[in-house]
Amino acid sequence: MLKGAFPVDSFRGMKTPFYFYDMDLLQRTLEEVRLQAGRFPGFQVHYAVKANSNPEILKVIAESGLGADCVSGGEVAAAFEAGFPAESIVFAGVGKSDEEIRLGLRLGISRFNVESEAELEVIDSLAAQAGTVAPVSIRVNPDIGAHTHANITTGLAENKFGIYHEELESVLRMVLGMKHVRFCGLHFHIGSQILDMADFVALCNRVNEITSRLKRSALPVGDLNVGGGLGINYQHPNHLSIADFKGYFETFARHLDLDPGQTVHFEPGRSVVAPCGTLISRVLYIKEGVTRQFAILDAGMTELIRPALYHAYHRIENLSSDEAEELYDVVGPICESSDVFGKGLSIDKCHRGDFMAIRSVGAYGESMSSRYNLRPLAGTLFYRK
Ligand SMILES: *Cc1c(COP(=O)(O)O)cnc(C)c1O
């Protein structure tokens, strides 16, 4: 949404900060996902709920026909309540509690993505107690990323996620020997905010190596889940507001060696919801420092922690001013020196009361919010033209 297109008049009576969701953009994004994944038979998309678990957003995504990828019992329950059918819900995570596993079994979710032998044993015994058989995929740590890109951080050998690929065969034999788990496939997830398709090609090559090794040992492969991670353009939210789903799905279609009828599952989170969210805030104070000026907002790391946590960049616009740009450190009110949205940003001259838009916060914004400093949780505005 261009700066001039935000319905600023409707903001005047609202308590700031709040999350503004462009539901038309979310709808267009979901149509693009459906269109591009739909070109390849067997491609199935599960939205990664942790990116944004707002019930209204979940409902729209469930209605579009995507499945859900969850990493906690709370997310499994939220996805189910929002209307995702249990058969479309997959559940990953290195530390699933007994209670969370029981919830998944009770609802009859589609898949437990299992991350360790110890977890397998627990799932087998809880499924036995429940008199059922748990569908499981093995999450494989593909050990890639070291030579590709620094932002790929979940797929390295020293990482806590998944089963190291060299131990896969022994774990798979263990699964096949268990009575209360059913082996369904392999799961991978290499990281987040990936913009270079070469990183996904590297994943495909490793998946092909692993599946052909299993086949040589006469072991089953099942279906494939290649995780999420597709990145978005944080610099240019107005011009590149929908992620490159075409290139993404084509990359996997071209580079994965698939058997006839084999399904491929995807778990995009950020790329589905990040662009549709904007954090709307008011300027509280302009403070002249010794060497720089600060724009102090009424939003802080409690509403958007990504800049404080990862030095993430979000574009910031002043919706109330068209005056010449000046340089600002844009900061929040929280008592932490890392409560900074950006330093030395060039923004149209700011005044107390101006509406500021912090862009591309639809993913890992509201879902990572907190009540630190006893701040109230921010509200929402779901905008449809
Ligand atoms: C976080 C996560 C995702 C989603 O990642 P995005 O970068 O938001 O697309 C998908 N799968 C798993 C297992 C995850 O942990």
Side-chain angles (χ1 to χ4, degrees):
M1 186 172 281
L2 291 169
K3 171 171 155 166
F6 280 93
V8 177
D9 284 340
S10 65
F11 295 172
R12 301 205 192 278
M14 288 194 63
K15 180 169 159 49
T16 47
F18 63 89
Y19 301 96
F20 172 91
Y21 291 114
D22 180 349
M23 300 307 273
D24 299 321
L25 176 58
L26 177 60
Q27 230 19 292
R28 288 202 305 280
T29 305
L30 291 167
E31 278 159 27
E32 176 72 1
V33 171
R34 212 166 30 208
L35 175 74
Q36 298 302 337
R39 293 166 60 207
F40 306 104
F43 278 22
Q44 292 179 24
V45 181
H46 306 262
Y47 163 67
V49 170
K50 74 172 187 283
N52 189 317
S53 48
N54 183 292
E56 186 73 21
I57 301 275
L58 289 184
K59 198 174 88 200
V60 169
I61 297 175
E63 280 165 3
S64 82
L66 300 197
D69 162 49
C70 302
V71 292
S72 74
E75 287 187 2
V76 170
F80 189 73
E81 276 161 32
F84 289 94
E87 320 77 84
S88 80
I89 298 177
V90 302
F91 183 11
V94 291
K96 302 180 191 72
S97 71
D98 293 15
E99 197 186 335
E100 291 175 313
I101 293 166
R102 284 199 193 95
L103 172 69
L105 291 171
R106 197 160 62 239
L107 294 179
I109 62 169
S110 141
R111 201 63 52 85
F112 292 87
N113 291 325
V114 171
E115 309 226 9
S116 65
E117 293 183 31
E119 180 193 340
L120 256 181
E121 282 166 5
V122 171
I123 292 181
D124 186 54
S125 87
L126 292 177
Q129 278 172 28
T132 184
V133 176
V136 303
S137 284
I138 300 177
R139 177 164 181 181
V140 184
N141 183 324
D143 192 20
I144 63 168
H147 310 292
T148 51
H149 208 278
N151 62 6
I152 300 186
T153 49
T154 64
L156 292 173
E158 71 265 26
N159 204 280
K160 72 178 176 181
F161 297 102
I163 284 164
Y164 190 54
H165 62 97
E166 294 188 346
E167 286 153 26
L168 173 60
E169 287 204 17
S170 73
V171 175
L172 183 47
R173 287 180 205 283
M174 177 175 159
V175 175
L176 295 172
M178 287 176 156
K179 283 207 181 68
H180 293 276
V181 296
R182 181 175 79 249
F183 174 70
C184 299
L186 303 177
H187 177 230
F188 304 83
H189 172 68
I190 54 171
S192 207
Q193 187 50 17
I194 298 167
L195 289 167
D196 186 350
M197 293 297 158
D199 295 335
F200 292 120
V201 174
L203 170 62
C204 291
N205 292 339
R206 180 53 60 89
V207 172
N208 293 340
E209 269 169 50
I210 290 170
T211 57
S212 60
R213 207 190 310 154
L214 292 180
K215 288 176 197 167
R216 278 199 300 279
S217 308
L219 286 164
V221 172
D223 54 30
L224 298 175
N225 181 329
V226 293
L230 176 62
I232 65 142
N233 189 310
Y234 281 98
Q235 272 72 33
H236 302 287
N238 298 327
H239 306 293
L240 294 162
S241 55
I242 296 187
D244 182 15
F245 292 106
K246 182 169 187 284
Y248 176 67
F249 291 117
E250 278 176 358
T251 299
F252 287 93
R254 191 171 306 145
H255 293 277
L256 274 182
D257 297 336
L258 297 173
D259 293 329
Q262 190 174 26
T263 57
V264 185
H265 300 253
F266 298 85
E267 300 173 334
R270 181 192 312 274
S271 53
V272 177
V273 289
C276 78
T278 298
L279 181 59
I280 304 290
S281 165
R282 280 185 175 93
V283 175
L284 286 174
Y285 302 104
I286 301 299
K287 175 171 166 179
E288 302 294 338
V290 181
T291 56
R292 42 216 308 142
Q293 65 180 342
F294 296 92
I296 302 172
L297 308 188
D298 62 5
M301 63 194 286
T302 41
E303 289 73 47
L304 179 69
I305 202 174
R306 298 186 68 253
L309 200 55
Y310 321 117
H311 291 288
Y313 172 82
H314 288 266
R315 185 178 161 82
I316 301 177
E317 294 162 350
N318 185 340
L319 302 181
S320 306
S321 161
D322 282 319
E323 289 172 59
E325 294 181 354
E326 294 190 10
L327 293 182
Y328 296 94
D329 284 9
V330 180
V331 304
I334 311 297
C335 301
E336 293 290 339
S337 27
S338 62
D339 185 30
V340 174
F341 290 119
K343 290 189 174 170
L345 305 181
S346 185
I347 300 175
D348 294 355
K349 186 175 172 60
C350 298
H351 322 79
R352 173 173 167 82
D354 285 355
F355 285 112
M356 303 289 276
I358 305 177
R359 306 293 306 273
S360 317
V361 307
Y364 308 111
E366 190 179 359
S367 67
M368 293 180 91
S369 65
S370 80
R371 291 210 48 210
Y372 184 47
N373 285 193
L374 276 188
R375 284 162 61 82
L377 290 175
T380 48
L381 177 63
F382 299 97
Y383 180 71
R384 293 179 176 85
K385 221 173 176 172

